[in-house]
Amino acid sequence: MSKVLEAKKAVVNEIADKMKASASMVVVDYRGLNVAQATELRKQLREAGVEFKVYKNSMARRAAEASGLEGLNEHLTGPNAIAFSTEDVIAPAKIINNFAKDNEALEIKAGVIEGVLASVEEVKALATLPSREGLLSMLLSVLQAPMRNFALVTKAVADQKEEQGA
């Protein structure tokens, strides 16, 4: 086999491995972004631990088929970039959605959330969820509320008894 074909197969395998290992990924059309905007987007994604790469569509399609994500192929047309996150499911969707609000040139095309193809609406809905820390603090607040209310009631009863006794 030729060296070029071997190199292409290696790239397809690399993309397929990233697709399989990703907790979530988002496919975007980056046409119209200038260099400064693209650099800022990459910086924000990198800080969140998200990998943002541009691949040839033919190679990305082959990798999607190898990963069992054939439905993604219809979105792999034109200039695309893919954001991969192996840890945080929400991070790529949240960062890209917030960036797209300020920069209309960036368009979300599709996504994959834990191995399931997601539409643009589902990716945007995922982006509106609070972060993991936010969800944990909400849960903690819900769990603390009954104890806090019980403590307030017992204190009020104790204060009332104290007033009656005085």
Side-chain angles (χ1 to χ4, degrees):
M1 246 186 266
S2 71
K3 291 181 180 180
V4 174
L5 191 56
E6 288 293 328
K8 287 182 179 182
K9 284 185 177 183
V11 171
V12 169
N13 288 336
E14 173 192 335
I15 300 168
D17 290 343
K18 287 181 184 178
M19 287 180 173
K20 291 175 187 172
S22 293
S24 70
M25 61 184 228
V26 179
V27 178
V28 297
D29 182 349
Y30 61 90
R31 244 185 311 215
L33 289 182
N34 61 33
V35 174
Q37 292 169 328
T39 303
E40 178 61 28
L41 176 60
R42 286 179 187 272
K43 178 181 172 255
Q44 290 178 17
L45 289 167
R46 194 177 325 108
E47 288 172 353
V50 178
E51 184 178 355
F52 189 69
K53 293 215 66 173
V54 177
Y55 292 107
K56 291 185 83 173
N57 288 333
S58 59
M59 292 185 193
R61 282 191 205 106
R62 289 182 189 266
E65 289 171 5
S67 302
L69 299 169
E70 292 84 8
L72 193 62
N73 286 349
E74 67 186 63
H75 303 288
L76 295 172
T77 57
N80 294 315
I82 305 173
F84 300 96
S85 176
T86 55
E87 297 172 11
D88 191 355
V89 177
I90 299 173
K94 185 179 282 293
I95 293 169
I96 289 173
N97 189 48
N98 290 341
F99 195 83
K101 287 178 186 175
D102 298 334
N103 303 286
E104 294 178 10
L106 186 68
E107 175 191 345
I108 298 172
K109 290 179 131 183
V112 176
I113 303 167
E114 295 181 342
V116 179
L117 189 66
S119 67
V120 175
E121 294 78 24
E122 292 170 328
V123 172
K124 288 183 178 181
L126 181 67
T128 60
L129 288 176
S131 66
R132 182 177 188 276
E133 289 77 22
L135 288 171
L136 288 174
S137 76
M138 287 180 197
L139 176 65
L140 184 60
S141 175
V142 167
L143 293 175
Q144 285 180 338
M147 288 304 260
R148 187 178 331 114
N149 291 342
F150 179 72
L152 289 173
V153 168
T154 54
K155 183 177 182 324
V157 169
D159 289 348
Q160 185 180 24
K161 296 264 184 189
E162 192 176 296
E163 285 178 12
Q164 289 175 355

